[in-house]
Amino acid sequence: MAVYTAVPAEALGAFLKRYDQGELVSAKGIAEGVENSNYLVETTRGRFILTLYEKRVSAADLPFFLALVDQVDAAGVPAPRALLDSAGNAIGTLEGRPACLIQFLPGVSPSRPTAAQAAAAGEALGRLHAAVADFTPTRPNDLGIAGWRPLLERCGRGIDTIAPGLFDRIDAALARVERAWPHALPVATIHADLFPDNVLMLGDAVTGLIDFYFACTDIRAYDVAVMHSAWAFDTEGHPIDGVGPALVSGYAARFGLLAEERAALPVLAEGACIRFMLTRAWDWLNTPADALVTRKDPLAYLRRLEWYQANGDAFR
Amino acid sequence: MAVYTAVPAEALGAFLKRYDQGELVSAKGIAEGVENSNYLVETTRGRFILTLYEKRVSAADLPFFLALVDQVDAAGVPAPRALLDSAGNAIGTLEGRPACLIQFLPGVSPSRPTAAQAAAAGEALGRLHAAVADFTPTRPNDLGIAGWRPLLERCGRGIDTIAPGLFDRIDAALARVERAWPHALPVATIHADLFPDNVLMLGDAVTGLIDFYFACTDIRAYDVAVMHSAWAFDTEGHPIDGVGPALVSGYAARFGLLAEERAALPVLAEGACIRFMLTRAWDWLNTPADALVTRKDPLAYLRRLEWYQANGDAFR
């Protein structure tokens, strides 16, 4: 949520000359997405997002992400495609970093989604899954279940400075999730991070799915669980009336949900809570309290975890 | 250079309803300007900058800034005017903060200005001074010469952690500037911060002067000196060939420069160097090194100060 690399206007103007997209009119660094540098760029021919990939996104993974977004968008689910320069390349170099000029999509992200918005977003996830059903490249989920215990160990007992007893609570929840994990469910390409932040909407209509930089190959229904954990609760962790069911219904109506997938949603959602609690706890422990960067509260996900543990029948 | 207040899309949509500017289409937090929160907002009717004023800008000063920008823009020097809502108010409230919906201006800021760009920017400062010649509201310069010694004392000897002996060097330079300060020169409304960052250009043409939040009433030629100190040097503090003279010529050709103003430019520029060195040093000492905020190097202005001290004839 910051601009890490300053791009001089002169360098940006030269970079744009490689694309057939007119002359530079305006460029504003925007606070958006994962740890990349993003600019909203206007040329005489349109508006674009310029992304410079910082160290968190591996350059080796970029072709996977770009091919995935292309396929999603080509299938009619609006997603931000990278433009090709006049030599036919999607990935260039700017200020020493891999850089892409990306399609601008209209829409804003709901802060407190309504049931109608959740239904549309769930349906969009179903369309995304349909769009990538024949997508053959694969990418392991670095933040999947196999990575959670090592991440908990790396956080260590220091995690108890966030809340007393937190280490043991996560440890116990993780042990239960590890025992019950539905390894036999269908695996597919998933977005893995479809928070409201990453869904652009106008009113109740989805106008774009963005930020595919956690996309990977994992249990398909886990994508529904991630989305449920991110959409169905307010910031305090209380469920928002009607939102969770609307999301799952929208998805199931569009893509379908196997009985065994639906049955596994509680444990998948508990896993999603552990994943986001752990990465937030890691960031929390490693970001100075006075840094001008918003630290996301790990405990918001502890409350969601407890809700899923207490409401195993929520998805029936 | 950060977004301090997150504005939910729902609250922004409601805020926009007070303006006759169409429906919300897109909103991106932008990393721009002083310590305000800024969004680039698109509606069905156009693009705008939404500014939420954080604690650094006093709400009591806002009417001064807005009236000034209105007068500048009305005189044909493009500046970002605040729009009036349907009740005729320029200042609203959003997320508990004073907020304005502001005209979007095209253009990008040069990172390494050319002489032609400096001439155009100097000329634009001349046009600005002409536009505000009859502007009657006044605002003291909180960061004017009377404030420099107290700020040096507040930084204290800790400033020597930036560079050994820095306190004594600034102390001596300030004493010299205080003795030579041209208090009798004409006083007027000045921008006081017209760095390249605050000048939007397309090619060699100025398309906007922005960020008037340091504007105040002070010696008019000090504005030329501030601009010279900010434009005429590269990031290492070496003068860029031809840029400083072009800037002063552009200004003088448009607005005029009295012989006594020109003669005072070296001491005014030394003062500008002390001002920016001190505020940067204060931020440096009070921003943690690991914060994800760019600390501007105070020593870039020490090198400029030394250049002015050694080149007192540069403005003849």
Side-chain angles (χ1 to χ4, degrees):
Chain A
M1 289 291 286
V3 176
Y4 298 87
T5 301
V7 179
E10 297 85 346
L12 177 54
F15 180 82
L16 288 173
K17 287 204 192 310
R18 300 175 41 210
Y19 295 83
D20 184 26
Q21 297 296 342
E23 297 292 311
L24 179 61
V25 171
S26 176
K28 309 282 186 197
I30 60 177
E32 183 158 289
V34 292
E35 291 173 28
N36 297 321
S37 296
N38 288 288
Y39 289 81
L40 181 47
V41 170
E42 184 177 333
T43 73
T44 45
R45 293 198 42 193
R47 262 156 302 137
F48 307 93
I49 303 290
L50 171 74
T51 299
L52 279 70
Y53 296 94
E54 308 289 343
K55 58 186 177 211
R56 213 207 53 78
V57 172
S58 155
D61 283 336
L62 273 181
F64 174 89
F65 298 137
L66 298 187
L68 177 60
V69 169
D70 279 353
Q71 178 153 337
V72 170
D73 192 59
V77 187
R81 296 173 85 151
L83 281 76
L84 301 182
D85 67 15
S86 47
N89 297 313
I91 306 170
T93 302
L94 185 55
E95 297 300 289
R97 280 152 181 87
C100 292
L101 189 67
I102 292 172
Q103 193 188 2
F104 173 86
L105 297 173
V108 292
S109 299
S111 284
R112 187 185 166 89
T114 63
Q117 290 175 319
E123 200 249 338
L125 180 67
R127 289 162 64 206
L128 187 155
H129 284 178
V132 302
D134 63 349
F135 187 72
T136 49
T138 62
R139 179 176 176 268
N141 186 358
D142 303 332
L143 293 169
I145 186 168
W148 298 339
R149 189 158 293 282
L151 183 51
L152 175 61
E153 299 298 339
R154 274 217 304 288
C155 287
R157 291 272 166 193
I159 209 167
D160 287 351
T161 58
I162 299 172
L166 187 58
F167 185 95
D168 287 339
R169 289 169 84 174
I170 300 178
D171 183 42
L174 178 53
R176 169 188 145 105
V177 165
E178 285 168 335
R179 281 192 304 273
W181 197 248
H183 289 284
L185 288 182
V187 164
T189 308
I190 64 171
H191 183 286
D193 193 37
L194 207 52
F195 279 53
D197 280 0
N198 292 331
V199 178
L200 299 176
M201 308 190 78
L202 287 174
D204 295 342
V206 173
T207 55
L209 304 181
I210 62 173
D211 214 342
F212 282 74
Y213 302 109
F214 290 103
C216 57
T217 314
D218 205 339
I219 292 172
R220 185 158 50 205
Y222 177 65
D223 229 4
V224 181
V226 165
M227 219 175 154
H228 191 280
S229 75
W231 283 70
F233 303 86
D234 64 19
T235 47
E236 271 85 50
H238 304 297
I240 311 176
D241 230 20
V243 164
L247 183 85
V248 176
S249 297
Y251 176 80
R254 179 63 187 81
F255 188 81
L257 196 59
L258 301 172
E260 55 268 37
E261 289 178 317
R262 187 182 292 272
L265 283 178
V267 66
L268 291 169
E270 289 171 37
C273 291
I274 291 169
R275 175 257 188 263
F276 289 104
M277 195 158 33
L278 284 174
T279 50
R280 288 181 176 196
W282 176 261
D283 290 344
W284 192 272
L285 297 173
N286 291 286
T287 304
D290 49 5
L292 288 176
V293 171
T294 311
R295 302 191 301 180
K296 294 182 177 168
D297 182 3
L299 299 182
Y301 266 91
L302 180 62
R303 292 186 286 270
R304 287 169 171 80
L305 173 67
E306 290 166 347
W307 188 89
Y308 288 118
Q309 289 173 338
N311 293 276
D313 58 353
F315 297 101
R316 287 211 194 123
Chain B
M1 288 291 287
V3 176
Y4 298 87
T5 301
V7 178
E10 296 85 347
L12 176 55
F15 180 82
L16 288 174
K17 287 202 193 310
R18 300 174 42 211
Y19 295 83
D20 184 27
Q21 297 295 344
E23 297 291 312
L24 179 60
V25 171
S26 176
K28 309 282 186 197
I30 59 177
E32 182 158 289
V34 292
E35 292 175 29
N36 296 321
S37 296
N38 288 288
Y39 289 81
L40 180 48
V41 170
E42 183 177 334
T43 74
T44 45
R45 294 197 43 192
R47 262 155 303 141
F48 307 93
I49 303 290
L50 171 75
T51 299
L52 280 70
Y53 296 94
E54 308 289 344
K55 59 187 177 210
R56 214 204 53 78
V57 172
S58 156
D61 283 336
L62 273 182
F64 174 87
F65 299 136
L66 299 187
L68 176 60
V69 168
D70 279 354
Q71 178 153 337
V72 170
D73 191 58
V77 186
R81 296 173 84 150
L83 281 76
L84 301 182
D85 67 15
S86 48
N89 298 312
I91 306 171
T93 302
L94 186 54
E95 298 298 293
R97 279 152 180 88
C100 292
L101 189 66
I102 292 172
Q103 193 188 1
F104 172 86
L105 297 174
V108 291
S109 299
S111 284
R112 187 186 166 89
T114 63
Q117 290 175 321
E123 200 249 339
L125 180 67
R127 289 161 64 206
L128 186 155
H129 284 179
V132 301
D134 64 348
F135 188 71
T136 49
T138 61
R139 180 176 175 267
N141 186 0
D142 303 333
L143 293 169
I145 186 168
W148 298 340
R149 187 159 294 282
L151 184 51
L152 176 62
E153 299 298 339
R154 275 218 303 289
C155 288
R157 290 273 168 193
I159 210 169
D160 288 350
T161 59
I162 299 171
L166 187 57
F167 184 94
D168 287 338
R169 289 170 83 175
I170 299 178
D171 183 44
L174 178 53
R176 168 188 145 106
V177 165
E178 285 169 334
R179 281 193 303 274
W181 196 247
H183 289 284
L185 287 182
V187 163
T189 308
I190 64 171
H191 183 286
D193 193 37
L194 207 51
F195 278 55
D197 280 359
N198 291 332
V199 177
L200 298 176
M201 307 191 79
L202 288 174
D204 294 342
V206 173
T207 55
L209 304 182
I210 63 173
D211 213 343
F212 282 74
Y213 302 109
F214 290 102
C216 57
T217 314
D218 205 340
I219 292 172
R220 187 158 49 206
Y222 177 64
D223 229 3
V224 182
V226 165
M227 221 176 151
H228 191 282
S229 75
W231 283 70
F233 301 87
D234 64 19
T235 47
E236 271 86 50
H238 304 297
I240 310 176
D241 228 20
V243 164
L247 183 85
V248 177
S249 296
Y251 176 80
R254 179 63 186 78
F255 188 80
L257 197 59
L258 302 172
E260 55 268 38
E261 290 179 316
R262 188 181 291 273
L265 283 177
V267 67
L268 291 168
E270 289 171 38
C273 292
I274 290 169
R275 175 257 187 264
F276 289 104
M277 195 158 33
L278 283 174
T279 50
R280 289 181 176 197
W282 175 261
D283 291 344
W284 192 273
L285 296 173
N286 292 285
T287 305
D290 49 5
L292 289 176
V293 171
T294 309
R295 302 190 301 180
K296 293 182 180 170
D297 182 4
L299 299 182
Y301 266 91
L302 181 61
R303 290 186 287 269
R304 287 168 170 82
L305 173 67
E306 289 166 347
W307 188 88
Y308 288 119
Q309 289 173 337
N311 292 275
D313 57 354
F315 297 102
R316 287 212 193 121

